Amino acid sequence: MSDIYTIAKSGLLAYKEGLATTGQNIANVGNDAYSRREAAISELKSGSPDVLQVSENLSFGVKVDGITRAFDQFIETQLHDAKSNFSFSESQTNVLNQLESIIRPGENAVSQKINGFFASLSSLTQDPSDTASRFSVLEAAKSVVNSIKNAANGIIDLRQFVDANVKANVDDANLIINQISNIQKELLGNSSPNAARNDLLDQRDNLLQKLSEIVEIKVRYKPRGEIDVLAGTDGQGQVLISGFEKKEFLLRAENGS
């Protein structure tokens, strides 16, 4: 038979945990890898009616059903897409700006040197015996060659920079894939299917955001905190993580082409 003391005790314990959850939220207000938590509280009823119980609707206090995260799969998916698109556009813009500065510099551009060369040839045709005009044509030709060499060297350096950047991104992506896979194994190894640790889920979601900044990914959410991660367009992408399995990115060896 319930009494006011049992009800009061259950309420104090439940709301104590609720206050602790609120305190955790306040403490992590500046933590980007943390999702706000809520304590789900429900009414506690008797499992079997008591013969002395006045009413079957009599409650026995409250209980905490669990601590849930503020998480929305749709918003998370949109965030992954936005981060992937932004990172790709930013990287592409950076490379194209550098390429433009090589091919079309403010001064000493190949086109300017070629125009100067033809201008000196035009002057030479007016008086082919003029030594100064001949010397001017030779110097203009050398300027064209040097300008082309500088542009070619700049393009080679840019390609090396892009290759190094790609390798670094592959290494970072593989490291993140391994970390996500380890978290998934820990989640799937949990003996209680409904007790996925919120801190592990937060770590996983933070790693997914970092991975989306490196490569376009699609995430499929399943029960027990399990996810499938695919690289590329949904339905056509390469599976990176599924269950206990993972697949890393590989760099193709250059063949000189």
Side-chain angles (χ1 to χ4, degrees), residues 71-248:
F71 177 79
D72 189 298
Q73 294 184 13
F74 176 77
I75 295 177
E76 199 72 13
T77 299
Q78 297 301 311
L79 182 60
H80 293 160
D81 293 341
K83 283 182 174 290
S84 296
N85 293 334
F86 176 77
S87 297
F88 174 77
S89 299
E90 187 177 39
S91 300
Q92 187 180 51
T93 300
N94 182 34
V95 172
L96 291 178
N97 285 338
Q98 293 186 54
L99 181 61
E100 185 178 16
S101 66
I102 294 171
I103 298 177
R104 300 181 59 186
E107 298 179 357
N108 299 323
V110 174
S111 59
Q112 293 178 348
K113 296 301 181 181
I114 292 177
N115 290 335
F117 173 70
F118 282 110
S120 62
L121 280 179
S122 178
S123 299
L124 181 61
T125 57
Q126 297 177 7
D127 186 4
S129 61
D130 186 6
T131 304
S133 296
R134 291 181 179 182
F135 180 79
S136 178
V137 169
L138 291 176
E139 291 299 316
K142 291 179 181 178
S143 296
V144 171
V145 173
N146 290 333
S147 180
I148 293 174
K149 284 184 178 179
N150 291 335
N153 290 333
I155 293 174
I156 292 173
D157 292 341
L158 180 59
R159 178 181 178 181
Q160 292 175 347
F161 166 78
V162 172
D163 289 343
N165 193 43
V166 169
K167 184 180 183 305
N169 285 339
V170 168
D171 292 340
D172 291 342
N174 288 337
L175 177 62
I176 294 174
I177 290 171
N178 280 299
Q179 292 174 333
I180 296 175
S181 178
N182 291 335
I183 291 176
Q184 175 135 304
K185 290 177 182 178
E186 189 168 350
L187 290 171
L188 293 178
N190 192 344
S191 58
S192 177
N194 297 323
R197 285 174 46 187
N198 289 324
D199 59 330
L200 287 178
L201 295 177
D202 284 345
Q203 292 178 34
R204 181 202 67 188
D205 294 341
N206 184 51
L207 289 170
L208 286 173
Q209 290 187 22
K210 292 181 179 179
L211 183 61
S212 68
E213 295 176 0
I214 301 175
V215 61
E216 181 182 0
I217 61 172
K218 300 296 179 183
V219 182
R220 299 171 182 169
Y221 294 91
K222 298 182 176 181
R224 300 176 57 188
E226 182 183 355
I227 57 173
D228 287 344
V229 182
L230 297 86
T233 305
D234 193 13
Q236 301 178 0
Q238 171 186 341
V239 177
L240 300 178
I241 298 176
S242 181
F244 291 96
E245 303 297 326
K246 65 177 174 63
K247 187 174 183 179
E248 298 181 357

